[in-house]
Amino acid sequence: MEYVKINDIAKRWGLSVRAVQLLCHKGRVEGATRFGRAWMIPKNAPKPIDGRTKAGREKHDEDLPLPRKTPFLYMSDLYSAPGTADSVTESLAYNHEAQVLFGAALAYSRGEIDKVYDSANYLLGKHSGFYAVISAGMLLALCAIWKGDLAMWRRAKIHISEAPAKNDMDRDIISLSITAVDSMLYDVQNFPEWFKTGCFEPLHKDALPAAKVYYAKYLYATGYAVATREYKLDGVQGLSLMAMIPCTIEPMISWAKADETIVSEIYLRMTCAVVYHNCGKTEDAVRHIDRAIELALPDRLYGLLSEYGRTLGSLLEDRLSAVDREAWLEVKKLYKIYNEGWSKLSGAVRGKTIITTLTPKQREVAKLAAFGLTNKEIADKLDMSASGVKQALQAVSDKMGVGRDAFAAFL
C-alpha cells in the first residue's frame, strides 16, 4: 500500500494539518498508521464524512453517537493541548452535533455568549440525542447567568429534566446535571447522596472530567456555606472544612493533567486557587492561577477566567495583567458582564439583592468578615491598618444596608 505524508492529505482534503492529525488520533482516517511521532496515510484514503453536508446529515439521522458520553465535550480528552481548540472544532466536522456542541462550549469559554445561546437553542429544537440535550440545557443555564435571566434559567432546567433518558445511568446524569446547574449559584443542598461522597460510579467514564470539576465546586460551595454559617455541619465551623478541601482537589488536578483534559484542569486549578486564597495561602493560590492562565491564554479562554473575578479579585488581576495586559482588559470587561448577570440571577433565585458596587478590596474585607474573622485578623490577612478595615466594613454596611452578620447573603 502506498502512503503519503499528512501535509499532502491535508492539502487535498482542504483541512489544516492539525485537524487531520486529530482525525487520525480518533481513528477516523481509514488505514492511517503512526510511525514515531508522524502519521502516514494511505494515498487513496477517503475523507471522513463532514456532518455539515447532506451525506453527513443523513449519517447523523442514523443516530450517530457523540464521540464522548459527557455533558461537556470540551472537558474531555478531545481537547488535550493548549492552542488546539479551533483545530478540534474543525476535526469534528464528521459529526455535526458534536461540532456544534464543542463550538458552543468553546464560545462560552471565550465569553461569546450570544453564540452559545444560538447553538443551545438550535440543538434543543433539533430533537438531539441525550447527551446533546443535557449539554445544550447546561449551556443555556450558563447563558442565563451571564444575562441574569431567571426565566431562561428555569427553562434550561426543564430541558435537562426532559432529556430522553433510556436507563438508570442516564437518569443519574440528569439528577447530577440539574444540581450542577444549581451549584453555579452556590446552592449545593440537592446533590445526589452518592455524589456528595465522591462516588462517580453511576457515571460513564467519559463524564469523569466534568464530574471532577463539579465535585470540586460542590466542595468549595459547601466549605463557603459552612464558613459563613449558612450551612451547619456537626463539629465543623469557620474555615476548618475549607482548609481540608485541597487534599481532595490537588489529586484531581494531577489526574486531569495526566489525562490531558485541558478545561477540566483549568477549572480545578482555579477552584483550588480560590480555596487557598480564602485560607490565606497566597503562594499556593498563585501557583494554580499561573498554570491556569498558561493553559487558557493560547485559545483565548477569557470567559472561563472571568468566572473567577468575584472570588479571586485583585489577585487574578495582578497575575494576569503581568503576563498579558490585553488579555486582562478583556477578562475585566467580561467579568463586569458576568458579575452583573450572576448577581441579578442569584438575587432572584435567593430572594436577595446581591451587591455589585463593592470594590475588590471591599468585597475581600466583607467576605472575611462573613467568615467570622475579627477586624484585627482581617487587617493582618490583607496587610491593612485597623482603621482601613473599619472604614471598608462601614462602606460595605452602608451599601448593603445590613450589619456584618448578614454580609454573606449579599455577596
Side-chain angles (χ1 to χ4, degrees):
M1 181 178 294
E2 184 178 355
Y3 289 89
V4 295
K5 294 181 179 180
I6 202 167
N7 303 63
D8 298 327
I9 288 291
K11 184 176 181 181
R12 184 197 306 169
W13 289 352
L15 300 175
S16 69
V17 171
R18 180 60 182 167
V20 178
Q21 289 173 332
L22 289 168
L23 287 171
C24 290
H25 180 70
K26 296 167 191 164
R28 294 290 303 164
V29 180
E30 293 182 15
T33 303
R34 193 162 191 169
F35 294 95
R37 300 182 65 182
W39 286 96
M40 297 299 290
I41 302 173
K43 183 177 181 179
N44 297 320
K47 179 181 179 181
I49 295 176
D50 189 330
R52 296 166 296 184
T53 65
K54 181 179 179 181
R57 288 193 296 272
E58 289 175 351
K59 182 67 175 175
H60 173 66
D61 291 340
E62 296 173 7
D63 195 26
L64 181 66
L66 293 179
R68 300 288 186 276
K69 294 182 182 298
T70 174
F72 279 135
L73 287 178
Y74 78 145
M75 287 189 191
S76 73
D77 60 354
L78 289 175
Y79 178 26
S80 59
T84 65
D86 290 320
S87 295
V88 174
T89 305
E90 184 183 358
S91 74
L92 291 170
Y94 69 90
N95 187 322
H96 179 63
E97 191 174 77
Q99 188 173 51
V100 172
L101 281 174
F102 188 88
L106 177 60
Y108 174 77
S109 295
R110 290 173 170 169
E112 299 167 350
I113 303 306
D114 288 339
K115 290 184 180 180
V116 182
Y117 180 76
D118 290 341
S119 296
N121 280 297
Y122 168 78
L123 288 165
L124 292 170
K126 280 288 184 179
H127 305 291
S128 302
F130 174 75
Y131 281 96
V133 171
I134 293 286
S135 184
M138 295 187 77
L139 287 169
L140 190 64
L142 290 168
C143 290
I145 291 177
W146 282 72
K147 295 176 180 292
D149 191 325
L150 181 60
M152 187 188 300
W153 173 265
R154 289 172 173 166
R155 181 159 60 91
K157 294 176 71 172
I158 291 173
H159 280 300
I160 295 171
S161 66
E162 294 178 347
K166 297 180 180 178
N167 50 50
D168 288 341
M169 179 181 288
D170 288 351
R171 285 182 279 276
D172 283 331
I173 282 283
I174 289 175
S175 177
L176 176 58
S177 298
I178 291 175
T179 316
V181 166
D182 289 335
S183 74
M184 297 172 188
L185 302 181
Y186 294 169
D187 180 357
V188 298
Q189 302 301 311
N190 298 316
F191 270 107
E193 290 302 318
W194 53 266
F195 188 78
K196 290 180 181 180
T197 64
C199 173
F200 300 152
E201 288 185 8
L203 307 175
H204 191 280
K205 63 181 180 64
D206 291 342
L208 295 186
K212 293 172 187 174
V213 167
Y214 284 106
Y215 188 63
K217 290 188 175 186
Y218 159 72
L219 292 177
Y220 168 68
T222 302
Y224 184 90
V226 169
T228 56
R229 299 174 297 284
E230 292 189 329
Y231 182 59
K232 293 183 179 180
L233 286 177
D234 292 339
V236 180
Q237 60 183 348
L239 291 169
S240 58
L241 177 60
M242 191 174 293
M244 295 186 290
I245 292 175
C247 296
T248 300
I249 301 182
E250 287 281 13
M252 292 198 294
I253 291 171
S254 297
W255 295 331
K257 183 177 180 180
D259 293 340
E260 297 183 321
T261 51
I262 296 297
V263 171
S264 177
E265 184 179 345
I266 293 173
Y267 269 121
L268 289 170
R269 286 187 182 278
M270 293 297 281
T271 303
C272 199
V274 172
V275 173
Y276 279 132
H277 181 53
N278 286 343
C279 295
K281 296 185 176 181
T282 303
E283 185 175 335
D284 287 316
V286 165
R287 170 169 57 89
H288 286 302
I289 293 171
D290 288 352
R291 177 55 179 164
I293 289 172
E294 182 182 351
L295 294 172
L297 289 189
D299 283 310
R300 309 182 308 283
L301 307 184
Y302 303 146
L304 194 159
L305 294 177
S306 69
E307 289 185 36
Y308 290 87
R310 287 182 56 82
T311 47
L312 289 172
S314 58
L315 183 59
L316 176 59
E317 176 178 1
D318 292 343
R319 304 311 298 179
L320 183 53
S321 60
V323 176
D324 189 327
R325 181 69 179 174
E326 292 301 317
W328 164 244
L329 291 175
E330 184 64 23
V331 169
K332 187 176 183 179
K333 180 177 69 175
L334 291 172
Y335 165 65
K336 182 178 180 181
I337 299 171
Y338 177 84
N339 185 43
E340 291 178 355
W342 185 93
S343 299
K344 181 179 179 181
L345 179 60
S346 181
V349 170
R350 294 155 61 181
K352 301 284 186 179
T353 299
I354 308 300
I355 303 299
T356 62
T357 57
L358 300 181
T359 66
K361 183 63 70 176
Q362 288 171 349
R363 180 174 295 281
E364 190 74 7
V365 169
K367 180 178 67 177
L368 294 178
F371 287 163
L373 273 66
T374 66
N375 286 15
K376 184 179 186 307
E377 289 171 332
I378 295 173
D380 292 341
K381 186 178 286 286
L382 299 181
D383 195 24
M384 296 174 64
S385 65
S387 60
V389 171
K390 187 175 181 179
Q391 290 173 3
L393 288 171
Q394 186 60 55
V396 171
S397 185
D398 289 343
K399 290 180 179 181
M400 292 185 177
V402 297
R404 64 193 295 159
D405 289 343
F407 281 179
F410 297 86
L411 289 173

